[in-house]
Amino acid sequence: MGESEPDSASAHWRPLVAALANDDARRVFARLVLEVDDDPFVGLSPSRRSHVRSQLENAGLIREFDGEVVLAADVFAETLRRVAVSRPTGIQRFLRDERIVQYPARPAERLELLGWVARTVLRPGEVVAETDMNDRLSAHTDDVAALRRYLVDAGLVERTPTGSEYALPA
């Protein structure tokens, strides 16, 4: 889905946000919430009154009940219910902006996360000095020594015989 394509959730919340972005509609809505005026549309011309009322009704913020304008109390809860919350899956659960926020407790998940890091920081056949390896790992964690050790211990990265360079296993 492209940026400009509305989905069903945004089709529901956009009119709501648009109404609250309108100064007059927001004032009318506030008067209704605070119950400060008998006429929440006070001070608006007849055409502006009609436009604001229509905008608030289309957004689901107000309804007419027994000839009176009343708040639609469930509009916010309904909007939140319609907007799906995407939860990260797989190794994404342990990352924020591609930085490790937590290591998985389950060995298989930990290995998957470490494998992703290894493939991200090294290319096959590439050999890098420890300082370069640390720089690359710092994109994923503040504790580069621990991450480097985890990668080596898991067999996903190996040290050269001198111990000062790192590479993916052949």
Side-chain angles (χ1 to χ4, degrees):
M1 180 180 311
E3 285 271 332
S4 62
E5 295 178 47
D7 59 14
S8 62
S10 69
H12 191 260
W13 65 259
R14 285 182 183 277
L16 180 68
V17 173
L20 294 175
N22 176 316
D23 289 341
D24 290 334
R26 194 171 52 253
R27 273 198 250 351
V28 168
F29 181 71
R31 287 182 182 128
L32 285 165
V33 168
L34 298 173
E35 301 174 343
V36 293
D37 290 318
D38 288 337
D39 179 11
F41 297 93
V42 68
L44 298 178
S45 69
S47 64
R48 189 70 187 142
R49 176 182 292 248
S50 174
H51 173 76
V52 167
R53 182 176 178 150
S54 175
Q55 187 175 29
L56 290 170
E57 285 174 342
N58 289 338
L61 289 165
I62 64 172
R63 295 185 182 115
E64 186 169 327
F65 182 75
D66 287 340
E68 241 181 86
V69 174
V70 296
L71 287 173
D74 60 343
V75 67
F76 294 108
E78 177 60 27
T79 299
L80 289 172
R81 222 178 352 269
R82 287 183 183 211
V83 177
V85 176
S86 66
R87 300 198 190 278
T89 59
I91 66 167
Q92 293 304 314
R93 296 179 324 214
F94 308 103
L95 300 170
R96 297 293 172 273
D97 300 323
E98 299 207 352
R99 291 185 59 80
I100 299 169
V101 293
Q102 178 182 348
Y103 287 95
R106 292 179 53 209
E109 289 177 329
R110 180 180 285 250
L111 189 61
E112 184 181 355
L113 175 67
L114 293 173
W116 172 81
V117 171
R119 290 185 305 276
T120 302
V121 299
L122 292 170
R123 291 183 309 276
E126 179 181 34
V127 178
V128 299
E130 185 169 329
T131 54
D132 292 333
M133 184 69 166
N134 290 345
D135 287 343
R136 294 176 185 194
L137 293 176
S138 70
H140 302 292
T141 186
D142 290 332
D143 191 351
V144 294
L147 179 54
R148 192 178 62 241
R149 192 168 39 256
Y150 295 154
L151 291 167
V152 171
D153 290 349
L156 297 167
V157 171
E158 59 187 18
R159 285 190 180 112
T160 59
T162 64
S164 63
E165 296 176 316
Y166 294 85
L168 294 173

